[in-house]
Amino acid sequence: QVQMVESGGGSVQAGGSLRLSCAVSGYTYSSYCMGWFRQAPGKEREGVAVIDSDGRTTYGHSVKGRFTISQDNAKNTLYLQMNSLKPEDTALYYCAADRAIYYSDYARLSSENYNYWGQGTQVTVSS
């Protein structure tokens, strides 16, 4: 059974930084896309950043240049370093995974393509 547990959320002022972590257990497949998604109140879930088992990364347009996704395979942990945070980054952040490797940016950042999800961690950025 795949389990994904996020941590590292919190409250920060605009311009600040946070690092989210996602501990993954029970995932035995050699290929994957794993990533971060977020959902603000009243908005659809949005793809933030994705990394696949070949190390290719994809970022949503609104976070390019500010966020960095990485993974530590020895620790089975996925990270999201978030710098230069803005109030519009406020959302519930989820990590997710799927066995398939998607090659288009649209597919990689589409939440409907992911079968495994964590419970989310809240990020609040104040102005």
Side-chain angles (χ1 to χ4, degrees):
Q1 183 180 357
V2 177
Q3 287 192 324
M4 307 184 77
V5 181
E6 304 93 338
S7 61
S11 297
V12 65
Q13 288 194 325
S17 298
L18 282 174
R19 188 176 81 155
L20 306 183
S21 299
C22 175
V24 183
S25 61
Y27 192 93
T28 59
Y29 310 115
S30 59
S31 65
Y32 56 82
C33 271
M34 287 193 185
W36 293 93
F37 296 78
R38 66 186 182 186
Q39 189 165 20
K43 293 189 176 181
E44 291 188 355
R45 194 166 293 189
E46 172 190 16
V48 175
V50 170
I51 189 167
D52 66 26
S53 46
D54 292 326
R56 287 186 295 262
T57 58
T58 301
Y59 293 92
H61 178 73
S62 62
V63 307
K64 272 184 184 176
R66 299 189 297 123
F67 291 11
T68 303
I69 190 170
S70 62
Q71 57 189 348
D72 185 332
N73 291 330
K75 295 182 179 179
N76 294 325
T77 302
L78 184 71
Y79 300 101
L80 184 68
Q81 178 66 45
M82 305 186 295
N83 298 329
S84 302
L85 282 161
K86 303 175 181 180
E88 50 264 43
D89 294 318
T90 295
L92 189 60
Y93 282 71
Y94 300 90
C95 60
D98 195 78
R99 292 181 60 182
I101 296 181
Y102 302 101
Y103 292 99
S104 76
D105 289 354
Y106 179 82
R108 288 164 71 88
L109 294 173
S110 294
S111 60
E112 60 263 28
N113 288 333
Y114 292 79
N115 285 308
Y116 306 107
W117 290 86
Q119 294 299 308
T121 185
Q122 178 68 36
V123 171
T124 302
V125 184
S126 58
S127 57

PDB file of all heavy atoms in Angstrom, residues 88-127:
ATOM      1  N   GLU A  88      -0.274  34.703  -3.384  1.00  0.00           N
ATOM      2  CA  GLU A  88      -1.024  33.821  -4.273  1.00  0.00           C
ATOM      3  C   GLU A  88      -0.529  32.377  -4.258  1.00  0.00           C
ATOM      4  O   GLU A  88      -1.139  31.502  -4.873  1.00  0.00           O
ATOM      5  CB  GLU A  88      -1.026  34.353  -5.715  1.00  0.00           C
ATOM      6  CG  GLU A  88       0.337  34.712  -6.252  1.00  0.00           C
ATOM      7  CD  GLU A  88       0.662  36.194  -6.117  1.00  0.00           C
ATOM      8  OE1 GLU A  88       0.381  36.780  -5.039  1.00  0.00           O
ATOM      9  OE2 GLU A  88       1.218  36.753  -7.090  1.00  0.00           O
ATOM     10  N   ASP A  89       0.574  32.115  -3.547  1.00  0.00           N
ATOM     11  CA  ASP A  89       1.029  30.733  -3.357  1.00  0.00           C
ATOM     12  C   ASP A  89       0.296  30.049  -2.204  1.00  0.00           C
ATOM     13  O   ASP A  89       0.482  28.850  -1.981  1.00  0.00           O
ATOM     14  CB  ASP A  89       2.535  30.704  -3.071  1.00  0.00           C
ATOM     15  CG  ASP A  89       3.368  31.171  -4.256  1.00  0.00           C
ATOM     16  OD1 ASP A  89       3.037  30.782  -5.394  1.00  0.00           O
ATOM     17  OD2 ASP A  89       4.344  31.915  -4.027  1.00  0.00           O
ATOM     18  N   THR A  90      -0.519  30.794  -1.483  1.00  0.00           N
ATOM     19  CA  THR A  90      -1.272  30.221  -0.370  1.00  0.00           C
ATOM     20  C   THR A  90      -2.220  29.139  -0.871  1.00  0.00           C
ATOM     21  O   THR A  90      -3.019  29.368  -1.776  1.00  0.00           O
ATOM     22  CB  THR A  90      -2.082  31.321   0.347  1.00  0.00           C
ATOM     23  OG1 THR A  90      -1.168  32.241   0.951  1.00  0.00           O
ATOM     24  CG2 THR A  90      -2.984  30.728   1.416  1.00  0.00           C
ATOM     25  N   ALA A  91      -2.089  27.938  -0.297  1.00  0.00           N
ATOM     26  CA  ALA A  91      -2.896  26.803  -0.740  1.00  0.00           C
ATOM     27  C   ALA A  91      -2.582  25.599   0.132  1.00  0.00           C
ATOM     28  O   ALA A  91      -1.633  25.613   0.924  1.00  0.00           O
ATOM     29  CB  ALA A  91      -2.608  26.466  -2.198  1.00  0.00           C
ATOM     30  N   LEU A  92      -3.378  24.560  -0.059  1.00  0.00           N
ATOM     31  CA  LEU A  92      -3.072  23.252   0.508  1.00  0.00           C
ATOM     32  C   LEU A  92      -2.228  22.513  -0.520  1.00  0.00           C
ATOM     33  O   LEU A  92      -2.641  22.382  -1.677  1.00  0.00           O
ATOM     34  CB  LEU A  92      -4.367  22.499   0.804  1.00  0.00           C
ATOM     35  CG  LEU A  92      -4.260  21.198   1.599  1.00  0.00           C
ATOM     36  CD1 LEU A  92      -3.639  21.440   2.969  1.00  0.00           C
ATOM     37  CD2 LEU A  92      -5.650  20.580   1.761  1.00  0.00           C
ATOM     38  N   TYR A  93      -1.047  22.098  -0.117  1.00  0.00           N
ATOM     39  CA  TYR A  93      -0.103  21.468  -1.030  1.00  0.00           C
ATOM     40  C   TYR A  93      -0.121  19.951  -0.823  1.00  0.00           C
ATOM     41  O   TYR A  93       0.005  19.465   0.308  1.00  0.00           O
ATOM     42  CB  TYR A  93       1.308  22.008  -0.803  1.00  0.00           C
ATOM     43  CG  TYR A  93       1.519  23.361  -1.412  1.00  0.00           C
ATOM     44  CD1 TYR A  93       0.915  24.492  -0.871  1.00  0.00           C
ATOM     45  CD2 TYR A  93       2.320  23.528  -2.536  1.00  0.00           C
ATOM     46  CE1 TYR A  93       1.091  25.742  -1.437  1.00  0.00           C
ATOM     47  CE2 TYR A  93       2.515  24.783  -3.109  1.00  0.00           C
ATOM     48  CZ  TYR A  93       1.890  25.879  -2.554  1.00  0.00           C
ATOM     49  OH  TYR A  93       2.082  27.117  -3.120  1.00  0.00           O
ATOM     50  N   TYR A  94      -0.251  19.227  -1.930  1.00  0.00           N
ATOM     51  CA  TYR A  94      -0.298  17.769  -1.921  1.00  0.00           C
ATOM     52  C   TYR A  94       0.880  17.198  -2.702  1.00  0.00           C
ATOM     53  O   TYR A  94       1.275  17.760  -3.716  1.00  0.00           O
ATOM     54  CB  TYR A  94      -1.566  17.258  -2.611  1.00  0.00           C
ATOM     55  CG  TYR A  94      -2.864  17.697  -2.010  1.00  0.00           C
ATOM     56  CD1 TYR A  94      -3.476  18.875  -2.429  1.00  0.00           C
ATOM     57  CD2 TYR A  94      -3.509  16.914  -1.055  1.00  0.00           C
ATOM     58  CE1 TYR A  94      -4.697  19.272  -1.893  1.00  0.00           C
ATOM     59  CE2 TYR A  94      -4.730  17.308  -0.516  1.00  0.00           C
ATOM     60  CZ  TYR A  94      -5.315  18.475  -0.945  1.00  0.00           C
ATOM     61  OH  TYR A  94      -6.520  18.866  -0.419  1.00  0.00           O
ATOM     62  N   CYS A  95       1.394  16.062  -2.259  1.00  0.00           N
ATOM     63  CA  CYS A  95       2.288  15.304  -3.116  1.00  0.00           C
ATOM     64  C   CYS A  95       1.495  14.146  -3.720  1.00  0.00           C
ATOM     65  O   CYS A  95       0.516  13.678  -3.133  1.00  0.00           O
ATOM     66  CB  CYS A  95       3.523  14.817  -2.376  1.00  0.00           C
ATOM     67  SG  CYS A  95       3.228  13.736  -0.977  1.00  0.00           S
ATOM     68  N   ALA A  96       1.913  13.719  -4.886  1.00  0.00           N
ATOM     69  CA  ALA A  96       1.192  12.682  -5.612  1.00  0.00           C
ATOM     70  C   ALA A  96       2.169  11.879  -6.450  1.00  0.00           C
ATOM     71  O   ALA A  96       3.263  12.339  -6.774  1.00  0.00           O
ATOM     72  CB  ALA A  96       0.121  13.302  -6.512  1.00  0.00           C
ATOM     73  N   ALA A  97       1.738  10.664  -6.813  1.00  0.00           N
ATOM     74  CA  ALA A  97       2.588   9.789  -7.614  1.00  0.00           C
ATOM     75  C   ALA A  97       1.741   8.933  -8.542  1.00  0.00           C
ATOM     76  O   ALA A  97       0.562   8.679  -8.289  1.00  0.00           O
ATOM     77  CB  ALA A  97       3.438   8.888  -6.714  1.00  0.00           C
ATOM     78  N   ASP A  98       2.364   8.499  -9.620  1.00  0.00           N
ATOM     79  CA  ASP A  98       1.731   7.567 -10.540  1.00  0.00           C
ATOM     80  C   ASP A  98       2.800   6.710 -11.188  1.00  0.00           C
ATOM     81  O   ASP A  98       3.942   7.155 -11.360  1.00  0.00           O
ATOM     82  CB  ASP A  98       0.930   8.313 -11.601  1.00  0.00           C
ATOM     83  CG  ASP A  98      -0.022   7.392 -12.323  1.00  0.00           C
ATOM     84  OD1 ASP A  98      -1.078   7.078 -11.727  1.00  0.00           O
ATOM     85  OD2 ASP A  98       0.297   6.974 -13.449  1.00  0.00           O
ATOM     86  N   ARG A  99       2.426   5.479 -11.587  1.00  0.00           N
ATOM     87  CA  ARG A  99       3.391   4.564 -12.211  1.00  0.00           C
ATOM     88  C   ARG A  99       3.807   5.023 -13.596  1.00  0.00           C
ATOM     89  O   ARG A  99       4.895   4.706 -14.054  1.00  0.00           O
ATOM     90  CB  ARG A  99       2.774   3.169 -12.323  1.00  0.00           C
ATOM     91  CG  ARG A  99       2.552   2.457 -11.038  1.00  0.00           C
ATOM     92  CD  ARG A  99       1.972   1.107 -11.297  1.00  0.00           C
ATOM     93  NE  ARG A  99       2.850   0.285 -12.121  1.00  0.00           N
ATOM     94  CZ  ARG A  99       2.554  -0.946 -12.519  1.00  0.00           C
ATOM     95  NH1 ARG A  99       1.382  -1.471 -12.198  1.00  0.00           N
ATOM     96  NH2 ARG A  99       3.392  -1.643 -13.231  1.00  0.00           N
ATOM     97  N   ALA A 100       2.924   5.726 -14.276  1.00  0.00           N
ATOM     98  CA  ALA A 100       3.206   6.104 -15.657  1.00  0.00           C
ATOM     99  C   ALA A 100       4.167   7.286 -15.707  1.00  0.00           C
ATOM    100  O   ALA A 100       4.171   8.139 -14.820  1.00  0.00           O
ATOM    101  CB  ALA A 100       1.915   6.448 -16.372  1.00  0.00           C
ATOM    102  N   ILE A 101       4.967   7.309 -16.758  1.00  0.00           N
ATOM    103  CA  ILE A 101       5.793   8.491 -17.038  1.00  0.00           C
ATOM    104  C   ILE A 101       5.120   9.246 -18.175  1.00  0.00           C
ATOM    105  O   ILE A 101       4.969   8.723 -19.277  1.00  0.00           O
ATOM    106  CB  ILE A 101       7.224   8.102 -17.427  1.00  0.00           C
ATOM    107  CG1 ILE A 101       7.914   7.412 -16.250  1.00  0.00           C
ATOM    108  CG2 ILE A 101       8.006   9.355 -17.840  1.00  0.00           C
ATOM    109  CD1 ILE A 101       9.353   7.021 -16.534  1.00  0.00           C
ATOM    110  N   TYR A 102       4.676  10.434 -17.878  1.00  0.00           N
ATOM    111  CA  TYR A 102       4.033  11.273 -18.881  1.00  0.00           C
ATOM    112  C   TYR A 102       5.074  12.191 -19.507  1.00  0.00           C
ATOM    113  O   TYR A 102       5.971  12.678 -18.827  1.00  0.00           O
ATOM    114  CB  TYR A 102       2.906  12.085 -18.233  1.00  0.00           C
ATOM    115  CG  TYR A 102       1.876  11.201 -17.575  1.00  0.00           C
ATOM    116  CD1 TYR A 102       1.864  11.008 -16.202  1.00  0.00           C
ATOM    117  CD2 TYR A 102       0.919  10.535 -18.335  1.00  0.00           C
ATOM    118  CE1 TYR A 102       0.933  10.184 -15.598  1.00  0.00           C
ATOM    119  CE2 TYR A 102      -0.013   9.712 -17.743  1.00  0.00           C
ATOM    120  CZ  TYR A 102      -0.002   9.543 -16.373  1.00  0.00           C
ATOM    121  OH  TYR A 102      -0.916   8.718 -15.788  1.00  0.00           O
ATOM    122  N   TYR A 103       4.947  12.447 -20.787  1.00  0.00           N
ATOM    123  CA  TYR A 103       5.983  13.199 -21.481  1.00  0.00           C
ATOM    124  C   TYR A 103       5.570  14.621 -21.843  1.00  0.00           C
ATOM    125  O   TYR A 103       6.435  15.466 -22.050  1.00  0.00           O
ATOM    126  CB  TYR A 103       6.440  12.428 -22.715  1.00  0.00           C
ATOM    127  CG  TYR A 103       7.169  11.164 -22.331  1.00  0.00           C
ATOM    128  CD1 TYR A 103       6.524   9.935 -22.336  1.00  0.00           C
ATOM    129  CD2 TYR A 103       8.491  11.218 -21.921  1.00  0.00           C
ATOM    130  CE1 TYR A 103       7.193   8.780 -21.957  1.00  0.00           C
ATOM    131  CE2 TYR A 103       9.168  10.069 -21.530  1.00  0.00           C
ATOM    132  CZ  TYR A 103       8.508   8.859 -21.562  1.00  0.00           C
ATOM    133  OH  TYR A 103       9.166   7.722 -21.173  1.00  0.00           O
ATOM    134  N   SER A 104       4.281  14.879 -21.888  1.00  0.00           N
ATOM    135  CA  SER A 104       3.895  16.265 -22.167  1.00  0.00           C
ATOM    136  C   SER A 104       3.750  17.018 -20.854  1.00  0.00           C
ATOM    137  O   SER A 104       3.350  16.447 -19.834  1.00  0.00           O
ATOM    138  CB  SER A 104       2.574  16.297 -22.938  1.00  0.00           C
ATOM    139  OG  SER A 104       1.479  16.025 -22.081  1.00  0.00           O
ATOM    140  N   ASP A 105       4.082  18.304 -20.878  1.00  0.00           N
ATOM    141  CA  ASP A 105       3.956  19.103 -19.662  1.00  0.00           C
ATOM    142  C   ASP A 105       2.513  19.108 -19.177  1.00  0.00           C
ATOM    143  O   ASP A 105       2.256  19.063 -17.970  1.00  0.00           O
ATOM    144  CB  ASP A 105       4.424  20.544 -19.927  1.00  0.00           C
ATOM    145  CG  ASP A 105       5.921  20.633 -20.102  1.00  0.00           C
ATOM    146  OD1 ASP A 105       6.622  19.617 -19.909  1.00  0.00           O
ATOM    147  OD2 ASP A 105       6.408  21.738 -20.438  1.00  0.00           O
ATOM    148  N   TYR A 106       1.582  19.175 -20.099  1.00  0.00           N
ATOM    149  CA  TYR A 106       0.167  19.208 -19.723  1.00  0.00           C
ATOM    150  C   TYR A 106      -0.208  17.954 -18.948  1.00  0.00           C
ATOM    151  O   TYR A 106      -0.851  18.021 -17.900  1.00  0.00           O
ATOM    152  CB  TYR A 106      -0.715  19.351 -20.964  1.00  0.00           C
ATOM    153  CG  TYR A 106      -2.185  19.363 -20.649  1.00  0.00           C
ATOM    154  CD1 TYR A 106      -2.815  20.524 -20.237  1.00  0.00           C
ATOM    155  CD2 TYR A 106      -2.946  18.185 -20.734  1.00  0.00           C
ATOM    156  CE1 TYR A 106      -4.160  20.533 -19.922  1.00  0.00           C
ATOM    157  CE2 TYR A 106      -4.284  18.190 -20.418  1.00  0.00           C
ATOM    158  CZ  TYR A 106      -4.891  19.361 -20.019  1.00  0.00           C
ATOM    159  OH  TYR A 106      -6.218  19.360 -19.702  1.00  0.00           O
ATOM    160  N   ALA A 107       0.209  16.796 -19.450  1.00  0.00           N
ATOM    161  CA  ALA A 107      -0.141  15.537 -18.782  1.00  0.00           C
ATOM    162  C   ALA A 107       0.569  15.416 -17.438  1.00  0.00           C
ATOM    163  O   ALA A 107      -0.015  14.948 -16.456  1.00  0.00           O
ATOM    164  CB  ALA A 107       0.212  14.362 -19.676  1.00  0.00           C
ATOM    165  N   ARG A 108       1.816  15.861 -17.392  1.00  0.00           N
ATOM    166  CA  ARG A 108       2.582  15.739 -16.152  1.00  0.00           C
ATOM    167  C   ARG A 108       1.985  16.595 -15.039  1.00  0.00           C
ATOM    168  O   ARG A 108       2.061  16.233 -13.869  1.00  0.00           O
ATOM    169  CB  ARG A 108       4.029  16.144 -16.415  1.00  0.00           C
ATOM    170  CG  ARG A 108       4.779  15.098 -17.243  1.00  0.00           C
ATOM    171  CD  ARG A 108       6.051  15.647 -17.838  1.00  0.00           C
ATOM    172  NE  ARG A 108       7.101  15.878 -16.871  1.00  0.00           N
ATOM    173  CZ  ARG A 108       7.992  14.959 -16.496  1.00  0.00           C
ATOM    174  NH1 ARG A 108       7.940  13.739 -16.993  1.00  0.00           N
ATOM    175  NH2 ARG A 108       8.938  15.266 -15.636  1.00  0.00           N
ATOM    176  N   LEU A 109       1.401  17.706 -15.404  1.00  0.00           N
ATOM    177  CA  LEU A 109       0.863  18.621 -14.403  1.00  0.00           C
ATOM    178  C   LEU A 109      -0.646  18.466 -14.198  1.00  0.00           C
ATOM    179  O   LEU A 109      -1.249  19.266 -13.484  1.00  0.00           O
ATOM    180  CB  LEU A 109       1.182  20.068 -14.800  1.00  0.00           C
ATOM    181  CG  LEU A 109       2.670  20.429 -14.779  1.00  0.00           C
ATOM    182  CD1 LEU A 109       2.885  21.827 -15.365  1.00  0.00           C
ATOM    183  CD2 LEU A 109       3.235  20.378 -13.358  1.00  0.00           C
ATOM    184  N   SER A 110      -1.230  17.434 -14.775  1.00  0.00           N
ATOM    185  CA  SER A 110      -2.672  17.203 -14.633  1.00  0.00           C
ATOM    186  C   SER A 110      -2.938  16.263 -13.468  1.00  0.00           C
ATOM    187  O   SER A 110      -2.519  15.106 -13.487  1.00  0.00           O
ATOM    188  CB  SER A 110      -3.245  16.617 -15.924  1.00  0.00           C
ATOM    189  OG  SER A 110      -3.160  17.541 -16.985  1.00  0.00           O
ATOM    190  N   SER A 111      -3.681  16.731 -12.484  1.00  0.00           N
ATOM    191  CA  SER A 111      -3.902  15.939 -11.274  1.00  0.00           C
ATOM    192  C   SER A 111      -4.659  14.647 -11.558  1.00  0.00           C
ATOM    193  O   SER A 111      -4.475  13.658 -10.835  1.00  0.00           O
ATOM    194  CB  SER A 111      -4.641  16.775 -10.231  1.00  0.00           C
ATOM    195  OG  SER A 111      -5.897  17.205 -10.723  1.00  0.00           O
ATOM    196  N   GLU A 112      -5.482  14.623 -12.597  1.00  0.00           N
ATOM    197  CA  GLU A 112      -6.280  13.418 -12.865  1.00  0.00           C
ATOM    198  C   GLU A 112      -5.419  12.235 -13.301  1.00  0.00           C
ATOM    199  O   GLU A 112      -5.890  11.103 -13.333  1.00  0.00           O
ATOM    200  CB  GLU A 112      -7.356  13.691 -13.915  1.00  0.00           C
ATOM    201  CG  GLU A 112      -6.815  14.143 -15.258  1.00  0.00           C
ATOM    202  CD  GLU A 112      -6.859  15.641 -15.395  1.00  0.00           C
ATOM    203  OE1 GLU A 112      -6.778  16.339 -14.369  1.00  0.00           O
ATOM    204  OE2 GLU A 112      -6.975  16.117 -16.539  1.00  0.00           O
ATOM    205  N   ASN A 113      -4.146  12.475 -13.625  1.00  0.00           N
ATOM    206  CA  ASN A 113      -3.250  11.397 -14.048  1.00  0.00           C
ATOM    207  C   ASN A 113      -2.538  10.704 -12.895  1.00  0.00           C
ATOM    208  O   ASN A 113      -1.735   9.809 -13.126  1.00  0.00           O
ATOM    209  CB  ASN A 113      -2.221  11.928 -15.036  1.00  0.00           C
ATOM    210  CG  ASN A 113      -2.836  12.245 -16.387  1.00  0.00           C
ATOM    211  OD1 ASN A 113      -3.840  11.659 -16.783  1.00  0.00           O
ATOM    212  ND2 ASN A 113      -2.248  13.190 -17.095  1.00  0.00           N
ATOM    213  N   TYR A 114      -2.820  11.117 -11.664  1.00  0.00           N
ATOM    214  CA  TYR A 114      -2.094  10.597 -10.505  1.00  0.00           C
ATOM    215  C   TYR A 114      -3.022   9.786  -9.606  1.00  0.00           C
ATOM    216  O   TYR A 114      -4.123  10.231  -9.269  1.00  0.00           O
ATOM    217  CB  TYR A 114      -1.443  11.744  -9.725  1.00  0.00           C
ATOM    218  CG  TYR A 114      -0.330  12.368 -10.521  1.00  0.00           C
ATOM    219  CD1 TYR A 114      -0.603  13.264 -11.549  1.00  0.00           C
ATOM    220  CD2 TYR A 114       0.997  12.028 -10.273  1.00  0.00           C
ATOM    221  CE1 TYR A 114       0.417  13.803 -12.318  1.00  0.00           C
ATOM    222  CE2 TYR A 114       2.022  12.572 -11.023  1.00  0.00           C
ATOM    223  CZ  TYR A 114       1.729  13.457 -12.045  1.00  0.00           C
ATOM    224  OH  TYR A 114       2.727  13.984 -12.800  1.00  0.00           O
ATOM    225  N   ASN A 115      -2.561   8.614  -9.220  1.00  0.00           N
ATOM    226  CA  ASN A 115      -3.387   7.700  -8.444  1.00  0.00           C
ATOM    227  C   ASN A 115      -3.099   7.698  -6.951  1.00  0.00           C
ATOM    228  O   ASN A 115      -3.925   7.258  -6.174  1.00  0.00           O
ATOM    229  CB  ASN A 115      -3.217   6.270  -8.966  1.00  0.00           C
ATOM    230  CG  ASN A 115      -3.955   6.067 -10.279  1.00  0.00           C
ATOM    231  OD1 ASN A 115      -5.144   6.369 -10.358  1.00  0.00           O
ATOM    232  ND2 ASN A 115      -3.268   5.581 -11.283  1.00  0.00           N
ATOM    233  N   TYR A 116      -1.930   8.151  -6.567  1.00  0.00           N
ATOM    234  CA  TYR A 116      -1.548   8.107  -5.157  1.00  0.00           C
ATOM    235  C   TYR A 116      -1.370   9.525  -4.638  1.00  0.00           C
ATOM    236  O   TYR A 116      -0.672  10.329  -5.260  1.00  0.00           O
ATOM    237  CB  TYR A 116      -0.257   7.316  -4.971  1.00  0.00           C
ATOM    238  CG  TYR A 116      -0.313   5.929  -5.563  1.00  0.00           C
ATOM    239  CD1 TYR A 116       0.382   5.619  -6.720  1.00  0.00           C
ATOM    240  CD2 TYR A 116      -1.081   4.940  -4.961  1.00  0.00           C
ATOM    241  CE1 TYR A 116       0.319   4.353  -7.272  1.00  0.00           C
ATOM    242  CE2 TYR A 116      -1.148   3.670  -5.505  1.00  0.00           C
ATOM    243  CZ  TYR A 116      -0.458   3.384  -6.661  1.00  0.00           C
ATOM    244  OH  TYR A 116      -0.529   2.128  -7.204  1.00  0.00           O
ATOM    245  N   TRP A 117      -1.983   9.789  -3.481  1.00  0.00           N
ATOM    246  CA  TRP A 117      -2.000  11.154  -2.946  1.00  0.00           C
ATOM    247  C   TRP A 117      -1.738  11.167  -1.449  1.00  0.00           C
ATOM    248  O   TRP A 117      -2.130  10.247  -0.720  1.00  0.00           O
ATOM    249  CB  TRP A 117      -3.365  11.800  -3.201  1.00  0.00           C
ATOM    250  CG  TRP A 117      -3.619  12.104  -4.628  1.00  0.00           C
ATOM    251  CD1 TRP A 117      -4.126  11.269  -5.574  1.00  0.00           C
ATOM    252  CD2 TRP A 117      -3.345  13.340  -5.293  1.00  0.00           C
ATOM    253  NE1 TRP A 117      -4.196  11.907  -6.788  1.00  0.00           N
ATOM    254  CE2 TRP A 117      -3.726  13.187  -6.646  1.00  0.00           C
ATOM    255  CE3 TRP A 117      -2.821  14.561  -4.887  1.00  0.00           C
ATOM    256  CZ2 TRP A 117      -3.587  14.203  -7.581  1.00  0.00           C
ATOM    257  CZ3 TRP A 117      -2.690  15.577  -5.820  1.00  0.00           C
ATOM    258  CH2 TRP A 117      -3.074  15.391  -7.153  1.00  0.00           C
ATOM    259  N   GLY A 118      -1.092  12.233  -1.016  1.00  0.00           N
ATOM    260  CA  GLY A 118      -0.989  12.490   0.411  1.00  0.00           C
ATOM    261  C   GLY A 118      -2.179  13.291   0.893  1.00  0.00           C
ATOM    262  O   GLY A 118      -3.090  13.613   0.116  1.00  0.00           O
ATOM    263  N   GLN A 119      -2.171  13.631   2.186  1.00  0.00           N
ATOM    264  CA  GLN A 119      -3.296  14.352   2.788  1.00  0.00           C
ATOM    265  C   GLN A 119      -3.167  15.867   2.670  1.00  0.00           C
ATOM    266  O   GLN A 119      -4.149  16.580   2.872  1.00  0.00           O
ATOM    267  CB  GLN A 119      -3.426  13.962   4.268  1.00  0.00           C
ATOM    268  CG  GLN A 119      -3.807  12.514   4.479  1.00  0.00           C
ATOM    269  CD  GLN A 119      -5.139  12.186   3.857  1.00  0.00           C
ATOM    270  OE1 GLN A 119      -6.136  12.855   4.087  1.00  0.00           O
ATOM    271  NE2 GLN A 119      -5.171  11.130   3.020  1.00  0.00           N
ATOM    272  N   GLY A 120      -1.991  16.332   2.366  1.00  0.00           N
ATOM    273  CA  GLY A 120      -1.809  17.763   2.164  1.00  0.00           C
ATOM    274  C   GLY A 120      -1.182  18.462   3.352  1.00  0.00           C
ATOM    275  O   GLY A 120      -1.313  18.025   4.499  1.00  0.00           O
ATOM    276  N   THR A 121      -0.498  19.567   3.063  1.00  0.00           N
ATOM    277  CA  THR A 121       0.070  20.428   4.090  1.00  0.00           C
ATOM    278  C   THR A 121      -0.207  21.874   3.691  1.00  0.00           C
ATOM    279  O   THR A 121      -0.053  22.247   2.533  1.00  0.00           O
ATOM    280  CB  THR A 121       1.574  20.156   4.277  1.00  0.00           C
ATOM    281  OG1 THR A 121       2.074  20.923   5.370  1.00  0.00           O
ATOM    282  CG2 THR A 121       2.387  20.491   3.026  1.00  0.00           C
ATOM    283  N   GLN A 122      -0.636  22.670   4.662  1.00  0.00           N
ATOM    284  CA  GLN A 122      -1.077  24.029   4.368  1.00  0.00           C
ATOM    285  C   GLN A 122       0.104  24.988   4.305  1.00  0.00           C
ATOM    286  O   GLN A 122       0.983  24.980   5.177  1.00  0.00           O
ATOM    287  CB  GLN A 122      -2.064  24.507   5.443  1.00  0.00           C
ATOM    288  CG  GLN A 122      -2.552  25.930   5.262  1.00  0.00           C
ATOM    289  CD  GLN A 122      -3.440  26.090   4.033  1.00  0.00           C
ATOM    290  OE1 GLN A 122      -4.226  25.201   3.693  1.00  0.00           O
ATOM    291  NE2 GLN A 122      -3.312  27.230   3.359  1.00  0.00           N
ATOM    292  N   VAL A 123       0.099  25.815   3.283  1.00  0.00           N
ATOM    293  CA  VAL A 123       1.074  26.898   3.147  1.00  0.00           C
ATOM    294  C   VAL A 123       0.300  28.207   3.085  1.00  0.00           C
ATOM    295  O   VAL A 123      -0.605  28.359   2.255  1.00  0.00           O
ATOM    296  CB  VAL A 123       1.931  26.738   1.879  1.00  0.00           C
ATOM    297  CG1 VAL A 123       2.787  27.975   1.648  1.00  0.00           C
ATOM    298  CG2 VAL A 123       2.801  25.491   1.990  1.00  0.00           C
ATOM    299  N   THR A 124       0.646  29.130   3.968  1.00  0.00           N
ATOM    300  CA  THR A 124      -0.017  30.427   4.007  1.00  0.00           C
ATOM    301  C   THR A 124       1.038  31.514   3.907  1.00  0.00           C
ATOM    302  O   THR A 124       1.971  31.555   4.714  1.00  0.00           O
ATOM    303  CB  THR A 124      -0.825  30.596   5.299  1.00  0.00           C
ATOM    304  OG1 THR A 124      -1.793  29.543   5.398  1.00  0.00           O
ATOM    305  CG2 THR A 124      -1.546  31.940   5.303  1.00  0.00           C
ATOM    306  N   VAL A 125       0.894  32.385   2.912  1.00  0.00           N
ATOM    307  CA  VAL A 125       1.839  33.463   2.693  1.00  0.00           C
ATOM    308  C   VAL A 125       1.112  34.789   2.904  1.00  0.00           C
ATOM    309  O   VAL A 125       0.124  35.075   2.221  1.00  0.00           O
ATOM    310  CB  VAL A 125       2.440  33.409   1.280  1.00  0.00           C
ATOM    311  CG1 VAL A 125       3.514  34.495   1.121  1.00  0.00           C
ATOM    312  CG2 VAL A 125       3.029  32.030   1.001  1.00  0.00           C
ATOM    313  N   SER A 126       1.601  35.572   3.843  1.00  0.00           N
ATOM    314  CA  SER A 126       0.961  36.850   4.148  1.00  0.00           C
ATOM    315  C   SER A 126       1.741  37.992   3.499  1.00  0.00           C
ATOM    316  O   SER A 126       2.959  37.921   3.331  1.00  0.00           O
ATOM    317  CB  SER A 126       0.876  37.046   5.650  1.00  0.00           C
ATOM    318  OG  SER A 126       2.164  36.990   6.237  1.00  0.00           O
ATOM    319  N   SER A 127       1.007  39.043   3.157  1.00  0.00           N
ATOM    320  CA  SER A 127       1.645  40.181   2.494  1.00  0.00           C
ATOM    321  C   SER A 127       2.176  41.186   3.496  1.00  0.00           C
ATOM    322  O   SER A 127       1.908  41.116   4.682  1.00  0.00           O
ATOM    323  CB  SER A 127       0.637  40.859   1.570  1.00  0.00           C
ATOM    324  OG  SER A 127      -0.493  41.259   2.291  1.00  0.00           O
TER     325      SER A 127
END
